[in-house]
Amino acid sequence: MAKLVVLTQSLAGRSHELAAERTTVGRVEDNAFQIAEPSVSSHHCEILLHGGEIVVKDLNSTNGSFINGEKITESVLKPGQTLRLGNIELKLDVPGAPPAPSAPSAPSAPSKAPAAPPKKEPVKAASGGVSLSELEGGGRPPGFDSSSVFTKKKKGKAMIFWIVVGAVMLIMLIIIFVVIGRAHS
């Protein structure tokens, strides 16, 4: 049975068998495969089983989905290829299947001319991301703190909004009491 195996050092060894026709992958608990890492979107991508093909469909994630370093919106993932979601790298493992070529392919897209070889630039997710070469070299560079790069939205703006609304209401009440007080005198 096909499965996704996490390669990234901090989560190495985790895997998920692709038993269902549709598997959602993301940071929050309602996904079939939860990857609780800040660079992974809450609902990052879905994995679809179409016949003998495994198709990855990005769900408008913040940091994108990549197959062998190429950004995809929807593409076939073949055995041995690397899928990157944010800063997390996974490999498709299919027992007994030969490894696939390094370039991703679009689902059911006929090719009439030979494709140009893909660029082999290290791609990073957001600022402070980790390239494949850095991962192969032993993980994040010294002093890298992912908590300073990826943070959840803060409630500070909402708090300021409610303080302003409260102050305006208080001023309006004072004005009303002053007007009523002058009317009675």
Side-chain angles (χ1 to χ4, degrees), residues 22-43:
R22 179 180 178 267
T23 302
T24 57
V25 182
R27 189 179 66 242
V28 295
E29 293 177 8
D30 66 349
N31 289 288
F33 185 23
Q34 180 188 14
I35 302 175
E37 208 277 338
S39 68
V40 176
S41 292
S42 55
H43 297 100

PDB file of all heavy atoms in Angstrom, residues 22-43:
ATOM      1  N   ARG A  22      -9.499   9.847  -1.024  1.00  0.00           N
ATOM      2  CA  ARG A  22      -9.151  11.261  -0.813  1.00  0.00           C
ATOM      3  C   ARG A  22      -8.565  11.405   0.585  1.00  0.00           C
ATOM      4  O   ARG A  22      -9.189  11.006   1.567  1.00  0.00           O
ATOM      5  CB  ARG A  22     -10.393  12.132  -0.949  1.00  0.00           C
ATOM      6  CG  ARG A  22     -10.130  13.602  -0.717  1.00  0.00           C
ATOM      7  CD  ARG A  22     -11.429  14.409  -0.879  1.00  0.00           C
ATOM      8  NE  ARG A  22     -11.199  15.803  -0.612  1.00  0.00           N
ATOM      9  CZ  ARG A  22     -11.376  16.382   0.579  1.00  0.00           C
ATOM     10  NH1 ARG A  22     -11.806  15.669   1.599  1.00  0.00           N
ATOM     11  NH2 ARG A  22     -11.145  17.655   0.739  1.00  0.00           N
ATOM     12  N   THR A  23      -7.352  11.956   0.674  1.00  0.00           N
ATOM     13  CA  THR A  23      -6.682  12.174   1.951  1.00  0.00           C
ATOM     14  C   THR A  23      -6.315  13.646   2.051  1.00  0.00           C
ATOM     15  O   THR A  23      -5.631  14.169   1.166  1.00  0.00           O
ATOM     16  CB  THR A  23      -5.391  11.327   2.047  1.00  0.00           C
ATOM     17  OG1 THR A  23      -5.731   9.951   1.876  1.00  0.00           O
ATOM     18  CG2 THR A  23      -4.710  11.519   3.379  1.00  0.00           C
ATOM     19  N   THR A  24      -6.787  14.321   3.092  1.00  0.00           N
ATOM     20  CA  THR A  24      -6.402  15.718   3.286  1.00  0.00           C
ATOM     21  C   THR A  24      -5.178  15.771   4.193  1.00  0.00           C
ATOM     22  O   THR A  24      -5.045  14.977   5.117  1.00  0.00           O
ATOM     23  CB  THR A  24      -7.543  16.541   3.917  1.00  0.00           C
ATOM     24  OG1 THR A  24      -7.924  15.936   5.145  1.00  0.00           O
ATOM     25  CG2 THR A  24      -8.730  16.625   2.977  1.00  0.00           C
ATOM     26  N   VAL A  25      -4.296  16.725   3.893  1.00  0.00           N
ATOM     27  CA  VAL A  25      -3.069  16.905   4.666  1.00  0.00           C
ATOM     28  C   VAL A  25      -3.008  18.361   5.102  1.00  0.00           C
ATOM     29  O   VAL A  25      -3.219  19.269   4.298  1.00  0.00           O
ATOM     30  CB  VAL A  25      -1.814  16.567   3.828  1.00  0.00           C
ATOM     31  CG1 VAL A  25      -0.553  16.712   4.660  1.00  0.00           C
ATOM     32  CG2 VAL A  25      -1.913  15.169   3.242  1.00  0.00           C
ATOM     33  N   GLY A  26      -2.736  18.588   6.391  1.00  0.00           N
ATOM     34  CA  GLY A  26      -2.631  19.951   6.892  1.00  0.00           C
ATOM     35  C   GLY A  26      -2.293  19.997   8.359  1.00  0.00           C
ATOM     36  O   GLY A  26      -2.090  18.970   9.007  1.00  0.00           O
ATOM     37  N   ARG A  27      -2.248  21.222   8.885  1.00  0.00           N
ATOM     38  CA  ARG A  27      -1.806  21.471  10.258  1.00  0.00           C
ATOM     39  C   ARG A  27      -2.873  21.157  11.308  1.00  0.00           C
ATOM     40  O   ARG A  27      -2.556  20.776  12.425  1.00  0.00           O
ATOM     41  CB  ARG A  27      -1.363  22.937  10.373  1.00  0.00           C
ATOM     42  CG  ARG A  27      -0.691  23.281  11.670  1.00  0.00           C
ATOM     43  CD  ARG A  27      -0.251  24.747  11.732  1.00  0.00           C
ATOM     44  NE  ARG A  27      -1.386  25.636  11.725  1.00  0.00           N
ATOM     45  CZ  ARG A  27      -1.653  26.537  10.788  1.00  0.00           C
ATOM     46  NH1 ARG A  27      -0.849  26.698   9.768  1.00  0.00           N
ATOM     47  NH2 ARG A  27      -2.711  27.296  10.845  1.00  0.00           N
ATOM     48  N   VAL A  28      -4.157  21.300  10.986  1.00  0.00           N
ATOM     49  CA  VAL A  28      -5.205  21.141  11.993  1.00  0.00           C
ATOM     50  C   VAL A  28      -5.688  19.695  12.087  1.00  0.00           C
ATOM     51  O   VAL A  28      -5.462  18.880  11.200  1.00  0.00           O
ATOM     52  CB  VAL A  28      -6.398  22.103  11.736  1.00  0.00           C
ATOM     53  CG1 VAL A  28      -5.960  23.551  11.896  1.00  0.00           C
ATOM     54  CG2 VAL A  28      -7.007  21.878  10.380  1.00  0.00           C
ATOM     55  N   GLU A  29      -6.372  19.404  13.183  1.00  0.00           N
ATOM     56  CA  GLU A  29      -6.746  18.034  13.526  1.00  0.00           C
ATOM     57  C   GLU A  29      -7.754  17.383  12.593  1.00  0.00           C
ATOM     58  O   GLU A  29      -7.819  16.158  12.522  1.00  0.00           O
ATOM     59  CB  GLU A  29      -7.302  17.987  14.951  1.00  0.00           C
ATOM     60  CG  GLU A  29      -6.275  18.300  16.003  1.00  0.00           C
ATOM     61  CD  GLU A  29      -6.864  18.329  17.404  1.00  0.00           C
ATOM     62  OE1 GLU A  29      -8.034  17.963  17.577  1.00  0.00           O
ATOM     63  OE2 GLU A  29      -6.140  18.718  18.321  1.00  0.00           O
ATOM     64  N   ASP A  30      -8.574  18.159  11.863  1.00  0.00           N
ATOM     65  CA  ASP A  30      -9.607  17.539  11.039  1.00  0.00           C
ATOM     66  C   ASP A  30      -9.075  16.962   9.717  1.00  0.00           C
ATOM     67  O   ASP A  30      -9.836  16.433   8.928  1.00  0.00           O
ATOM     68  CB  ASP A  30     -10.772  18.498  10.786  1.00  0.00           C
ATOM     69  CG  ASP A  30     -10.383  19.708   9.945  1.00  0.00           C
ATOM     70  OD1 ASP A  30      -9.177  19.923   9.718  1.00  0.00           O
ATOM     71  OD2 ASP A  30     -11.286  20.449   9.533  1.00  0.00           O
ATOM     72  N   ASN A  31      -7.760  17.039   9.489  1.00  0.00           N
ATOM     73  CA  ASN A  31      -7.158  16.423   8.311  1.00  0.00           C
ATOM     74  C   ASN A  31      -6.928  14.936   8.555  1.00  0.00           C
ATOM     75  O   ASN A  31      -6.694  14.513   9.687  1.00  0.00           O
ATOM     76  CB  ASN A  31      -5.808  17.091   7.998  1.00  0.00           C
ATOM     77  CG  ASN A  31      -5.984  18.488   7.462  1.00  0.00           C
ATOM     78  OD1 ASN A  31      -6.421  18.672   6.343  1.00  0.00           O
ATOM     79  ND2 ASN A  31      -5.661  19.479   8.282  1.00  0.00           N
ATOM     80  N   ALA A  32      -6.964  14.148   7.489  1.00  0.00           N
ATOM     81  CA  ALA A  32      -6.668  12.713   7.612  1.00  0.00           C
ATOM     82  C   ALA A  32      -5.215  12.512   8.039  1.00  0.00           C
ATOM     83  O   ALA A  32      -4.911  11.613   8.811  1.00  0.00           O
ATOM     84  CB  ALA A  32      -6.933  12.010   6.289  1.00  0.00           C
ATOM     85  N   PHE A  33      -4.302  13.363   7.546  1.00  0.00           N
ATOM     86  CA  PHE A  33      -2.886  13.316   7.928  1.00  0.00           C
ATOM     87  C   PHE A  33      -2.522  14.687   8.463  1.00  0.00           C
ATOM     88  O   PHE A  33      -2.362  15.639   7.710  1.00  0.00           O
ATOM     89  CB  PHE A  33      -2.024  12.936   6.729  1.00  0.00           C
ATOM     90  CG  PHE A  33      -0.560  12.730   7.032  1.00  0.00           C
ATOM     91  CD1 PHE A  33      -0.095  12.408   8.304  1.00  0.00           C
ATOM     92  CD2 PHE A  33       0.374  12.834   6.018  1.00  0.00           C
ATOM     93  CE1 PHE A  33       1.253  12.205   8.554  1.00  0.00           C
ATOM     94  CE2 PHE A  33       1.725  12.635   6.251  1.00  0.00           C
ATOM     95  CZ  PHE A  33       2.171  12.319   7.528  1.00  0.00           C
ATOM     96  N   GLN A  34      -2.415  14.794   9.779  1.00  0.00           N
ATOM     97  CA  GLN A  34      -2.104  16.074  10.424  1.00  0.00           C
ATOM     98  C   GLN A  34      -0.598  16.219  10.561  1.00  0.00           C
ATOM     99  O   GLN A  34       0.084  15.321  11.064  1.00  0.00           O
ATOM    100  CB  GLN A  34      -2.746  16.158  11.809  1.00  0.00           C
ATOM    101  CG  GLN A  34      -2.438  17.476  12.495  1.00  0.00           C
ATOM    102  CD  GLN A  34      -2.907  17.523  13.946  1.00  0.00           C
ATOM    103  OE1 GLN A  34      -3.234  16.512  14.537  1.00  0.00           O
ATOM    104  NE2 GLN A  34      -2.932  18.700  14.508  1.00  0.00           N
ATOM    105  N   ILE A  35      -0.084  17.358  10.103  1.00  0.00           N
ATOM    106  CA  ILE A  35       1.324  17.710  10.277  1.00  0.00           C
ATOM    107  C   ILE A  35       1.335  19.028  11.039  1.00  0.00           C
ATOM    108  O   ILE A  35       1.157  20.099  10.454  1.00  0.00           O
ATOM    109  CB  ILE A  35       2.056  17.839   8.927  1.00  0.00           C
ATOM    110  CG1 ILE A  35       1.948  16.530   8.137  1.00  0.00           C
ATOM    111  CG2 ILE A  35       3.512  18.228   9.150  1.00  0.00           C
ATOM    112  CD1 ILE A  35       2.524  16.587   6.741  1.00  0.00           C
ATOM    113  N   ALA A  36       1.503  18.951  12.346  1.00  0.00           N
ATOM    114  CA  ALA A  36       1.428  20.127  13.219  1.00  0.00           C
ATOM    115  C   ALA A  36       2.740  20.895  13.158  1.00  0.00           C
ATOM    116  O   ALA A  36       3.576  20.813  14.048  1.00  0.00           O
ATOM    117  CB  ALA A  36       1.095  19.694  14.643  1.00  0.00           C
ATOM    118  N   GLU A  37       2.934  21.648  12.079  1.00  0.00           N
ATOM    119  CA  GLU A  37       4.135  22.446  11.866  1.00  0.00           C
ATOM    120  C   GLU A  37       3.704  23.788  11.297  1.00  0.00           C
ATOM    121  O   GLU A  37       2.868  23.828  10.388  1.00  0.00           O
ATOM    122  CB  GLU A  37       5.065  21.703  10.892  1.00  0.00           C
ATOM    123  CG  GLU A  37       6.541  22.002  11.060  1.00  0.00           C
ATOM    124  CD  GLU A  37       7.012  23.260  10.355  1.00  0.00           C
ATOM    125  OE1 GLU A  37       6.342  23.708   9.409  1.00  0.00           O
ATOM    126  OE2 GLU A  37       8.053  23.799  10.734  1.00  0.00           O
ATOM    127  N   PRO A  38       4.213  24.902  11.816  1.00  0.00           N
ATOM    128  CA  PRO A  38       3.718  26.227  11.418  1.00  0.00           C
ATOM    129  C   PRO A  38       3.800  26.555   9.925  1.00  0.00           C
ATOM    130  O   PRO A  38       2.989  27.324   9.433  1.00  0.00           O
ATOM    131  CB  PRO A  38       4.600  27.194  12.211  1.00  0.00           C
ATOM    132  CG  PRO A  38       5.102  26.402  13.358  1.00  0.00           C
ATOM    133  CD  PRO A  38       5.215  24.984  12.878  1.00  0.00           C
ATOM    134  N   SER A  39       4.741  25.978   9.178  1.00  0.00           N
ATOM    135  CA  SER A  39       4.844  26.313   7.750  1.00  0.00           C
ATOM    136  C   SER A  39       3.828  25.550   6.895  1.00  0.00           C
ATOM    137  O   SER A  39       3.684  25.834   5.716  1.00  0.00           O
ATOM    138  CB  SER A  39       6.254  26.031   7.232  1.00  0.00           C
ATOM    139  OG  SER A  39       6.515  24.637   7.231  1.00  0.00           O
ATOM    140  N   VAL A  40       3.129  24.587   7.497  1.00  0.00           N
ATOM    141  CA  VAL A  40       2.098  23.829   6.800  1.00  0.00           C
ATOM    142  C   VAL A  40       0.761  24.525   7.043  1.00  0.00           C
ATOM    143  O   VAL A  40       0.415  24.849   8.179  1.00  0.00           O
ATOM    144  CB  VAL A  40       2.049  22.365   7.303  1.00  0.00           C
ATOM    145  CG1 VAL A  40       0.908  21.600   6.658  1.00  0.00           C
ATOM    146  CG2 VAL A  40       3.383  21.675   7.038  1.00  0.00           C
ATOM    147  N   SER A  41       0.006  24.780   5.984  1.00  0.00           N
ATOM    148  CA  SER A  41      -1.294  25.446   6.121  1.00  0.00           C
ATOM    149  C   SER A  41      -2.288  24.539   6.839  1.00  0.00           C
ATOM    150  O   SER A  41      -2.118  23.319   6.876  1.00  0.00           O
ATOM    151  CB  SER A  41      -1.851  25.816   4.745  1.00  0.00           C
ATOM    152  OG  SER A  41      -1.067  26.829   4.158  1.00  0.00           O
ATOM    153  N   SER A  42      -3.345  25.143   7.389  1.00  0.00           N
ATOM    154  CA  SER A  42      -4.332  24.358   8.137  1.00  0.00           C
ATOM    155  C   SER A  42      -4.945  23.274   7.260  1.00  0.00           C
ATOM    156  O   SER A  42      -5.160  22.150   7.703  1.00  0.00           O
ATOM    157  CB  SER A  42      -5.405  25.263   8.736  1.00  0.00           C
ATOM    158  OG  SER A  42      -5.997  26.053   7.737  1.00  0.00           O
ATOM    159  N   HIS A  43      -5.223  23.567   6.012  1.00  0.00           N
ATOM    160  CA  HIS A  43      -5.672  22.570   5.025  1.00  0.00           C
ATOM    161  C   HIS A  43      -4.772  22.773   3.817  1.00  0.00           C
ATOM    162  O   HIS A  43      -5.095  23.560   2.925  1.00  0.00           O
ATOM    163  CB  HIS A  43      -7.147  22.747   4.678  1.00  0.00           C
ATOM    164  CG  HIS A  43      -8.040  22.524   5.846  1.00  0.00           C
ATOM    165  ND1 HIS A  43      -8.569  23.554   6.585  1.00  0.00           N
ATOM    166  CD2 HIS A  43      -8.464  21.379   6.433  1.00  0.00           C
ATOM    167  CE1 HIS A  43      -9.284  23.057   7.570  1.00  0.00           C
ATOM    168  NE2 HIS A  43      -9.242  21.744   7.509  1.00  0.00           N
TER     169      HIS A  43
END
